[in-house]
Amino acid sequence: MDRAAETARWLAEAWETGNSLAPLPPEIAPRDLAEGEDAAFALLEALGLTPCGVRVVPGPGDTCIAAPMLEARLLKSPAALALPALRHPVASAALVAVLAEPLGDAPPRFASLHPALDVSATRFTSTPTDAAVVAADCGGLGHVAVGRAAPAAARPARVALGAPDSRARGEAFDTDAALAPAIAAARRFGGLPAGALLVVAGLTPAVVPSPGVALAARFGRSGRAEVRFAES
């Protein structure tokens, strides 16, 4: 059994049982991001799951981690999550782009853009500090709460993360630049069909959610996505 398949076997057990994992033994742990990405896709194959797109998130050491996105991990905003069910969760603003046509070499055309709030988690007892291991764990995929589509042809230009009633304008950001790593990763993975998703997380600094607190990712006139973190 190759390293990716062996890593996937360990992770699949954690996904299925909910039990946490100790650090992977050095002899099977992915040695670089490419092996981590291979392990993530091997994990989905082991679980019998089909990705609905690609999700990218900042990783350890200023890396950019790309991994498959799962439809079952999408939530409609406003959403509620039981905080104790998430291991080492962190939240950040995210953007979800729905492809209007298959992704090829030409600039992509989007059917819609959605504000989102990404809640990363891990299958490991301690948060991994190795980018390759995070990639194997589907980039720390937890849940992605997705808000209503932005107005037609709108390009979100500002983003903020905080309390739902906050009036902070947030920081300026470039939508095309934000989506570029997801587009590049999807092409590297072999492309995506029309209707598939590009998810870009980490558009704001990560926040560790607290029980009973709600967080909202706000994109000005382009909408918002909200999650309330329940105590149980």
Side-chain angles (χ1 to χ4, degrees):
M1 183 178 293
D2 63 25
R3 295 175 76 95
E6 186 67 12
T7 296
R9 184 178 69 82
W10 281 57
L11 281 164
E13 182 177 348
W15 277 71
E16 291 176 328
T17 65
N19 297 330
S20 62
L21 277 177
L24 294 173
E27 61 270 19
I28 71 162
R31 293 166 290 192
D32 54 32
L33 276 176
E35 285 193 350
E37 291 172 353
D38 289 344
F41 282 98
L43 168 62
L44 265 60
E45 184 176 355
L47 294 173
L49 299 173
T50 301
C52 66
V54 170
R55 171 178 167 271
V56 298
V57 64
D62 295 325
T63 55
C64 180
I65 293 175
M69 181 66 206
L70 297 176
E71 186 174 0
R73 295 305 177 105
L74 295 169
L75 304 173
K76 183 179 179 180
S77 171
L81 285 172
L83 200 54
L86 303 170
R87 190 171 294 112
H88 305 301
V90 292
S92 66
L95 190 64
V96 175
V98 182
L99 289 170
E101 57 191 18
L103 180 65
D105 294 332
R109 192 166 62 86
F110 303 120
S112 58
L113 294 174
H114 298 256
L117 197 155
D118 183 272
V119 183
S120 297
T122 181
R123 264 46 63 179
F124 291 92
T125 302
S126 300
T127 303
T129 57
D130 187 299
V133 174
V134 177
D137 191 24
C138 285
L141 178 60
H143 296 275
V144 180
V146 184
R148 293 180 180 179
R155 276 291 206 262
R158 305 191 75 85
V159 61
L161 177 67
D165 58 356
S166 172
R167 296 190 177 185
R169 292 190 65 205
E171 299 295 326
F173 87 108
D174 185 313
T175 298
D176 292 329
L179 288 170
I183 295 168
R187 286 175 173 149
R188 190 173 72 252
F189 293 156
L192 288 172
L197 307 182
L198 298 173
V199 181
V200 183
L203 299 180
T204 57
V207 171
V208 177
S210 300
V213 169
L215 288 174
R218 304 185 308 281
F219 289 77
R221 295 180 180 178
S222 295
R224 62 195 281 156
E226 182 178 332
V227 174
R228 178 166 292 279
F229 296 90
E231 297 183 19
S232 60

